[in-house]
Amino acid sequence: MYPQNLAPIPELYVSYDSAQKLKVEAADLVSHDLTPRQICDLELLMNGGFNPLKGFLSEEDYDSVVENMRLTDGTLWPMPITLDVSESFADSLEIGQDIALRDQEGVILGTMTVTDRWVPNKAREAEKVFGADDDAHPAVNYLHNKAGKVYLGGPVTGIQQPVHYDFRARRDTPNELRAYFRKLGWRKVVAFQTRNPLHRAHQELTFRAAKEAQANLLIHPVVGMTKPGDVDHFTRVRCYEAVLDKYPQSTTTMSLLNLAMRMAGPREAVWHGLIRKNHGCTHFIVGRDHAGPGKNSKGEDFYGPYDAQDLFREHEAEIGIEMVDFKHMVYVQERAQYEPMDEIADKDDVTILNISGTELRRRLSEGLDIPEWFSFPEVVAELRKTKPPRSQQGFTVFFTGLSGSGKSTIANALMVKLMEMGGRPVTLLDGDIVRKNLSSELGFSKEHRDLNIRRIGYVASEITKNGGIAICAPIAPYATTRRAVREEIEQFGAFIEVHVATSIEECERRDRKGLYKLAREGKIKEFTGISDPYDVPENPELRVETENVEVDNCAHQVILKLESLGLIAGQ
């Protein structure tokens, strides 16, 4: 008999022959095209990573998980795993109906029997699961602004795994990892969860954790969805591979986990523990502020530094995996080694060195030295490939303001000034140009205006990703849409929001096209500032006043801002 952590666990996949038959039958089923986050969830449901779940949660189980971190049968499970869909799609279904679950290419991954359909109380879910109904939390923002309004629940039948073309040899199902541990005779395995590149402090920490638990080490980074702004997983995995040979080969392995993180702090830590137990691990390293999303709208941390460890400890026996505390490792210069901060007896007599994540990002963005005591040259080389100094990266300047505020005029002046400097291609995505070339079929309803801004955001993100400068000048009246565009662009470079803060009276006075007059007469419906709201940006990178100020001066203010951010070299 195998130890329990190494015995095979149930999966939701059917046999190969049944899968072939199901694929044919599924051609007649109603299909749901899964979002990237839903694909991550479905993969871990089907391969046993979310064991004991047999599908997306029913309404009863969902309520119980939100309120008590337990399924209705009492089993510990802290995270709602639900299939969110649009109202129109939900209305087209009947309870008991089977639907096909497809990836974004239309490949069928599984089927689901719809047993439940309900409209959740998302504010309640945010409060209970994430600790606050605060849009500054990436998962709460997702819940309110991206997820479908209706949840579906029901058991899933797995047909095939999602296809991953990258790092295939590094991707293992829970049963594949268990088989690997059995083959090597690993009885105890400590898992290290990470969504950041590995530096020397992490290596020292993982060494110590494995030694303390007398266990082998599984480096188990998340490559599904992490937090907006994180280093992309391709770069991170190349960083991990660059340092794997610094670990003893016979005691360490690495596998990639296709998990969509929720950044839910304490609950997420318990969830990560259950997932690692399913993957055959016996120990799990829980960090300070484990899976924390950073600051809330008031500028305070969402969770206390040790909340995650406390909740994990409380449920440790039930999770069935032992927690190894994450020690805060710092470099002691005199001894040329990393030591846990709370174990340094002679703190006052030695030089303690430490570089925070923020400081590391600053050094990368400014092309400054990153010392060898902090990271491995191989890791720094990989990071520099993806993140050259800011003055060589692409970026987007996004003007927003009322119609007639002067956005286009300033954007044009800025474009000319940047082209005069040279060094990077500059593209102007002005409202009228975009309407003509990208969005000619769109009207001016809220939905169409949103879609227009998202198209602008998409093109700007591609320009930014490829090292160019995008200048956008739409009205962009809605804060949630501007935030979505910011998140899309910030994966690849800086996003500078410039609010052209001209008053409506001044805009109306300047009204060259006579639009305000028509809006006042009711001849133009849903006109921003008259019959439709404009969400004034709360924290733009720059606010520009245009009344009695020359255009040249306004554009120059933007140039100075770009210089201060390091995006263009000082003249």
Side-chain angles (χ1 to χ4, degrees):
M1 267 304 285
Y2 303 121
Q4 198 187 350
N5 66 305
L6 300 184
I9 59 166
E11 296 184 352
L12 305 182
Y13 291 112
V14 292
S15 68
Y16 177 80
D17 292 339
S18 303
Q20 300 313 104
K21 190 162 155 277
L22 268 176
K23 269 187 198 172
V24 176
E25 290 169 5
D28 299 329
L29 296 179
V30 171
S31 287
H32 172 64
D33 291 340
L34 300 156
T35 62
R37 172 155 138 174
Q38 291 168 349
I39 292 173
C40 291
D41 286 352
L42 181 64
E43 178 171 352
L44 286 162
L45 278 170
M46 296 192 300
N47 70 20
F50 285 170
N51 184 52
L53 303 191
K54 297 289 180 269
F56 291 99
L57 296 182
S58 67
E59 186 175 4
E60 272 193 342
D61 276 333
Y62 163 82
D63 287 338
S64 181
V65 165
V66 167
E67 294 297 327
N68 320 310
M69 295 205 332
R70 294 184 181 278
L71 302 172
T72 44
D73 67 4
T75 309
L76 181 69
W77 189 266
M79 200 59 58
I81 305 297
T82 48
L83 190 68
D84 57 279
V85 298
S86 67
E87 289 167 297
S88 54
F89 181 75
D91 289 346
S92 72
L93 302 176
E94 287 172 25
I95 297 298
Q97 183 175 345
D98 285 348
I99 59 172
L101 302 175
R102 298 180 182 273
D103 71 10
Q104 293 174 312
E105 302 293 320
V107 175
I108 181 156
L109 304 177
T111 62
M112 168 181 158
T113 306
V114 180
T115 57
D116 293 72
R117 173 181 55 202
W118 74 100
V119 176
N121 179 346
K122 289 186 175 181
R124 182 80 182 147
E125 181 179 335
E127 281 286 343
K128 297 295 284 188
V129 178
F130 305 108
D133 188 11
D134 181 343
D135 270 5
H137 193 298
V140 175
N141 178 47
Y142 184 96
L143 194 62
H144 289 311
N145 299 319
K146 294 186 184 169
K149 284 201 163 40
V150 184
Y151 286 177
L152 303 179
V156 161
T157 302
I159 293 176
Q160 70 178 60
Q161 294 190 47
V163 182
H164 300 290
Y165 296 108
D166 58 325
F167 307 114
R168 295 175 85 147
R170 294 266 179 220
R171 294 177 182 269
D172 305 284
T173 67
N175 279 329
E176 284 168 345
L177 268 184
R178 286 171 173 238
Y180 179 78
F181 299 154
R182 287 199 298 272
K183 187 176 175 181
L184 294 187
W186 289 11
R187 288 290 182 265
K188 283 179 167 183
V189 182
V190 58
F192 178 56
Q193 143 84 27
T194 175
R195 45 172 252 272
N196 292 310
L198 278 180
H199 302 296
R200 289 186 190 269
H202 301 116
Q203 189 204 26
E204 192 59 41
L205 166 93
T206 48
F207 270 156
R208 281 172 179 261
K211 206 155 118 192
E212 205 175 289
Q214 295 186 312
N216 293 286
L217 177 66
L218 170 67
I219 298 171
H220 209 201
V222 170
V223 295
M225 297 170 74
T226 56
K227 184 181 158 200
D230 279 350
V231 176
D232 70 277
H233 82 265
F234 300 103
T235 303
R236 287 191 290 117
V237 176
R238 289 198 300 272
C239 288
Y240 303 140
E241 294 196 317
V243 297
L244 258 188
D245 60 357
K246 315 274 184 207
Y247 287 89
Q249 235 174 340
S250 55
T251 60
T252 305
T253 190
M254 177 171 84
S255 180
L256 309 183
L257 179 66
N258 196 42
L259 175 72
M261 286 181 71
R262 293 350 190 224
M263 309 307 296
R267 279 199 185 216
E268 182 111 7
V270 172
W271 190 43
H272 287 174
L274 291 165
I275 293 166
R276 278 9 186 266
K277 181 196 172 194
N278 286 332
H279 283 79
C281 302
T282 53
H283 295 71
F284 181 52
I285 300 170
V286 179
R288 283 168 76 244
D289 193 24
H290 185 97
K295 308 277 184 209
N296 64 18
S297 336
K298 294 190 182 119
E300 298 152 3
D301 288 335
F302 269 96
Y303 313 114
Y306 299 106
D307 290 359
Q309 292 181 356
D310 294 344
L311 191 68
F312 197 102
R313 202 172 283 114
E314 202 181 306
H315 295 285
E316 197 169 40
E318 206 176 343
I319 298 169
I321 195 166
E322 279 182 51
M323 177 171 81
V324 181
D325 296 20
F326 190 118
K327 304 276 191 290
H328 182 42
M329 306 297 292
V330 290
Y331 188 74
V332 180
Q333 192 170 17
E334 285 75 2
R335 296 193 274 275
Q337 65 183 21
Y338 274 91
E339 296 176 19
M341 185 67 175
D342 53 4
E343 289 175 22
I344 303 173
D346 52 354
K347 273 192 190 67
D348 301 334
D349 308 322
V350 292
T351 315
I352 291 172
L353 301 176
N354 190 22
I355 291 183
S356 66
T358 313
E359 172 64 7
L360 172 66
R361 283 190 291 277
R362 185 185 78 84
R363 289 183 180 221
L364 280 169
S365 74
E366 295 180 20
L368 301 174
D369 179 52
I370 292 164
E372 277 207 34
W373 61 261
F374 175 75
S375 193
F376 305 97
E378 301 91 329
V379 170
V380 173
E382 284 298 340
L383 290 173
R384 287 207 197 279
K385 271 190 221 166
T386 310
K387 286 266 181 216
R390 285 192 101 175
S391 58
Q392 292 164 29
Q393 288 177 24
F395 62 87
T396 293
V397 180
F398 193 93
F399 289 94
T400 171
L402 296 167
S403 177
S405 59
K407 301 180 299 298
S408 301
T409 316
I410 301 168
N412 265 301
L414 176 67
M415 175 180 73
V416 173
K417 284 174 182 288
L418 289 170
M419 287 169 84
E420 182 189 356
M421 287 177 191
R424 279 172 284 195
V426 186
T427 305
L428 175 63
L429 296 168
D430 183 32
D432 294 341
I433 298 170
V434 170
R435 281 278 175 186
K436 186 177 160 194
N437 295 301
L438 269 182
S439 300
S440 57
E441 86 289 9
L442 297 184
F444 289 87
S445 66
K446 179 177 192 313
E447 195 183 347
H448 276 194
R449 282 188 289 175
D450 251 5
L451 184 53
N452 184 46
I453 302 302
R454 285 172 189 275
R455 286 181 185 176
I456 292 171
Y458 170 71
V459 175
S461 74
E462 288 295 310
I463 292 166
T464 302
K465 177 166 75 179
N466 289 293
I469 299 171
I471 303 173
C472 312
I475 294 172
Y478 310 120
T480 44
T481 316
R482 294 196 299 261
R483 174 174 173 160
V485 169
R486 176 186 287 273
E487 283 181 4
E488 185 166 12
I489 289 166
E490 282 185 341
Q491 296 173 59
F492 308 116
F495 178 89
I496 297 88
E497 184 175 38
V498 180
H499 176 215
V500 182
T502 314
S503 68
I504 190 154
E505 294 76 20
E506 176 66 13
C507 291
E508 216 162 331
R509 202 178 56 69
R510 293 178 185 174
D511 190 13
R512 279 202 316 242
K513 301 176 190 168
L515 298 175
Y516 282 93
K517 185 171 179 295
L518 293 170
R520 292 271 182 217
E521 291 165 1
K523 290 177 183 164
I524 301 179
K525 300 278 179 261
E526 297 187 270
F527 189 82
T528 301
I530 305 287
S531 49
D532 205 56
Y534 175 76
D535 300 339
V536 175
E538 286 180 19
N539 301 302
E541 276 71 12
L542 183 64
R543 218 181 283 280
V544 177
E545 303 289 344
T546 65
E547 295 175 44
N548 307 316
V549 181
E550 287 180 11
V551 171
D552 199 295
N553 182 284
C554 295
H556 193 65
Q557 287 179 48
V558 183
I559 293 281
L560 290 173
K561 185 70 186 175
L562 296 175
E563 272 184 21
S564 74
L565 292 169
L567 291 163
I568 52 180
Q571 296 306 301

